[in-house]
Amino acid sequence: MSRSAFYRRVRDYALQPPLGANPLRHQITPDEQHDLLRVSYRVYANFNEALTIAAAAGLSSTSGPLTEQVLLLPNRAELMQIKRETGYGR
């Protein structure tokens, strides 16, 4: 598994969280539209989840602009599980 598998899993989660999931909801604000690191910090309290934010938003890269929208994101435990299952971040 890989980065692309991780991206697909997060994107699928954002589009339709699995039954029993407890997604985080984050409203993208104007000051976040060009700063995925800021969103990462606000949601997960670290700057390391820009790919998670990009995947949830359906962006092809972490440098793309976000639109004002509500993102459904995996909570910390769910995100760690996705990373374990896809082998991402090892």
Side-chain angles (χ1 to χ4, degrees), residues 7 12 19 30 34 45 47 51 63 79:
Y7 180 97
D12 289 347
L19 290 175
H34 297 281
F47 295 105
L51 182 61
S63 62
L79 181 59

Side-chain angles (χ1 to χ4, degrees), residues 39-75:
V39 178
S40 172
Y41 189 79
R42 287 180 176 169
V43 173
Y44 295 109
N46 70 61
F47 295 105
N48 301 326
E49 300 302 339
L51 182 61
T52 303
I53 306 305
L59 300 177
S60 59
S61 77
T62 57
S63 62
L66 293 163
T67 59
E68 289 186 48
Q69 62 182 304
V70 175
L71 293 181
L72 293 178
L73 297 156
N75 64 45

